[in-house]
Amino acid sequence: MRSPNPSLEVYVPRARTPDGVDRRLRRVAAVVTSLSALIATSIVAGPATASEAALSCALGRTDAHHSEGVDGWNDAYPRPDRAINAVMIFLSFPDSRPLAAPQQLSRDYFPATSGFFQRASYGAFRLRPHIHHTWVRMPRTSTAYGIQRDWDASRRAAYLRDAVAAADPSVDFGRYDVVYFVADPEAPGVDSDATKVVNLEQPMHADDHDLRRFVTVFEQSPPDRNVLAHETGHVFDLPDLYHRPEDGKGDWDTYVGDWDLMGSQFGLAPDFFAWHKWKLGWIADNQVDCVELAGPTIHSLRTLSAPKEAGGRRRPRLLVVRTGPDSALAIEARGATGNDRSLCTEGVLVYRVHSETPSGSGPVHVLDGHPGTSACWGTSVYPPLADAPLGVGESMDDGEDGVRVQVEGRSSDGDWAVKVGRG
């Protein structure tokens, strides 16, 4: 279901744990609410800079929220191709006394989050956290803000204004690209389903600096796995890849399953899709093969999570078949290394990308290489797609786009040989 307010990413409950015992999990969903003048319904598309992605198979940016287009960059978002400074500020309230120090709680998020991005970017991006080591006291009780998933816009605006005002005397906001506000997990009014990124159309100002985006964290301690990395992905213009049932019930992971953190922070293979790495600048044009369907051709694929090659050598990590003005078929290889070390099935993964589909409405769909089977029940977030990759000797016919993908073999150094042609 397309949400009329895609700028807010909020967790909603869902049940399934690795050991099969029901518990409350949080899923990312767009929330429907009317916003005050402070908080916008979405970040506008904004001007795009000239892009490195000049290949014929590079989809163009559209007006869709968090568009999957890769031909330009939206300057409203910081691009993670350098070292970026983030400040983590811990907020306390008059109705609760924190049980842990900020330094202790910060270990729930760092260095794990920085490590995730360092591996995903092949060392191109460094997220440098700066922990504010004292609690910042909010002027109102935690219950006064009405913190919840469907958060009243005026109360949410008041929360942000109070947080910035309370922290400003001791925090120089001008030094940071990313601001994390972490609420005392013991405060009675804190609702963990309210964790989200808030985008501001009209920025707040502090220390001669425009503040356009906040990550508001309301997690318990310890928090959900990879939750901060997921929210930080939104700060860099990545979309939600979940499927939200219209009635709020059912499975949220039918679009991409375990594949990519922006689908589920609980996934067994949370490394970003090669398409997202291309969008973020971590995969260069010379690591992307645009496939023409004039006849079957064989291509080599480096495993996505394999370390960066030494000596400046660049081997392809993504094959792309352009299937329409705003659509493409993407092909990559996934292996049990790096961020994907716990994945269920290694092999060649195929997925469809739509650059005109907004965040939360299915801009990416993984194609199931084994539609008749499932795998990793009890650990996978969506077992029907856990064995989606193709192994050596296996093939897939994509009837929608008329493309056939076949895995021909694997080299001694681990690269995959993939034949692509008409189905």
Side-chain angles (χ1 to χ4, degrees):
M1 178 181 72
R2 180 175 178 173
S3 167
N5 177 29
S7 68
L8 303 182
E9 288 84 16
V10 184
Y11 287 98
V12 299
R14 130 170 229 277
R16 185 170 61 243
T17 59
D19 58 5
V21 178
D22 288 349
R23 60 165 287 208
R24 193 166 176 252
L25 300 183
R26 299 162 201 95
R27 263 307 164 272
V28 182
V31 82
V32 180
T33 183
S34 81
L35 300 179
S36 68
L38 173 67
I39 301 180
T41 55
S42 67
I43 276 286
V44 295
T49 61
S51 172
E52 299 85 352
L55 301 182
S56 61
C57 57
L59 298 183
R61 284 191 57 84
T62 70
D63 289 335
H65 185 53
H66 293 318
S67 171
E68 291 284 22
V70 293
D71 73 334
W73 183 257
N74 186 347
D75 284 335
Y77 297 88
R79 193 169 192 175
D81 56 358
R82 56 185 172 84
I84 283 182
N85 292 300
V87 62
M88 179 166 275
I89 302 167
F90 291 83
L91 306 176
S92 65
F93 305 88
D95 56 343
S96 180
R97 177 176 294 180
L99 299 182
Q103 296 94 318
Q104 179 181 347
L105 292 176
S106 70
R107 297 187 195 111
D108 289 341
Y109 304 102
F110 294 104
T113 303
S114 295
F116 182 94
F117 282 105
Q118 191 277 332
R119 291 186 294 271
S121 68
Y122 314 108
F125 167 50
R126 291 179 57 203
L127 179 63
R128 297 194 297 210
H130 300 263
I131 309 303
H132 190 63
H133 286 168
T134 58
W135 286 98
V136 171
R137 185 68 169 261
M138 295 286 275
R140 310 183 211 188
T141 64
S142 62
T143 55
Y145 294 103
I147 300 166
Q148 59 183 354
R149 176 165 56 90
D150 295 330
W151 205 354
D152 176 78
S154 62
R155 289 185 173 185
R156 183 172 53 243
Y159 181 84
L160 289 175
R161 285 195 300 266
D162 286 352
V164 170
D168 193 28
S170 57
V171 175
D172 182 359
F173 285 101
R175 297 176 54 199
Y176 307 108
D177 302 284
V178 181
V179 177
Y180 301 110
F181 279 132
V182 183
D184 175 10
E186 305 300 326
V190 169
D191 181 352
S192 56
D193 280 344
T195 293
K196 62 180 174 287
V197 173
V198 180
N199 296 318
L200 307 183
E201 185 178 58
Q202 297 298 324
M204 300 178 67
H205 301 276
D207 302 310
D208 296 322
H209 186 66
D210 285 345
L211 303 176
R212 297 183 177 276
R213 193 168 294 103
F214 299 91
V215 182
T216 55
V217 181
F218 300 100
E219 295 294 304
Q220 300 300 307
S221 181
D224 283 343
R225 187 176 77 232
N226 285 333
V227 62
L228 197 68
H230 173 102
E231 294 300 336
T232 306
H234 290 308
V235 173
F236 303 135
D237 199 20
L238 294 184
D240 281 320
L241 302 182
Y242 63 86
H243 163 243
R244 183 180 186 180
E246 291 187 10
D247 59 0
K249 300 176 182 178
D251 209 306
W252 293 76
D253 301 306
T254 58
Y255 285 156
V256 301
D258 293 278
W259 311 97
D260 198 295
L261 175 67
M262 303 313 294
S264 173
Q265 71 263 28
F266 299 101
L268 297 178
D271 206 8
F272 294 120
F273 284 128
W275 187 275
H276 282 165
K277 297 190 181 196
W278 189 21
K279 177 180 178 179
L280 297 173
W282 302 339
I283 286 179
D285 278 6
N286 60 7
Q287 295 173 285
V288 179
D289 270 357
C290 293
V291 180
E292 303 293 337
L293 294 179
T297 52
I298 296 180
H299 305 262
S300 176
L301 266 181
R302 178 80 165 160
T303 298
L304 185 63
S305 56
K308 182 179 179 179
E309 299 94 323
R313 185 183 180 190
R314 296 288 185 94
R315 288 183 281 183
R317 295 185 189 243
L318 175 64
L319 309 180
V320 179
V321 182
R322 186 73 174 260
T323 58
D326 301 305
S327 63
L329 206 65
I331 305 166
E332 64 189 50
R334 304 294 284 262
T337 57
N339 291 331
D340 280 350
R341 58 189 176 276
S342 299
L343 93 176
C344 181
T345 306
E346 293 187 320
V348 173
L349 190 69
V350 184
Y351 52 96
R352 190 174 290 114
V353 182
H354 291 279
S355 61
E356 84 288 359
T357 302
S359 173
S361 296
V364 177
H365 287 248
V366 168
L367 305 188
D368 193 351
H370 305 91
T373 63
S374 300
C376 293
W377 284 92
T379 54
S380 168
V381 300
Y382 189 64
L385 286 180
D387 61 349
L390 300 170
V392 174
E394 296 181 332
S395 62
M396 170 194 299
D397 289 303
D398 173 24
E400 180 175 326
D401 296 314
V403 178
R404 179 177 177 82
V405 179
Q406 183 169 340
V407 181
E408 295 287 292
R410 199 169 183 188
S411 67
S412 58
D413 60 359
D415 286 4
W416 300 75
V418 182
K419 180 190 287 187
V420 184
R422 295 193 181 277

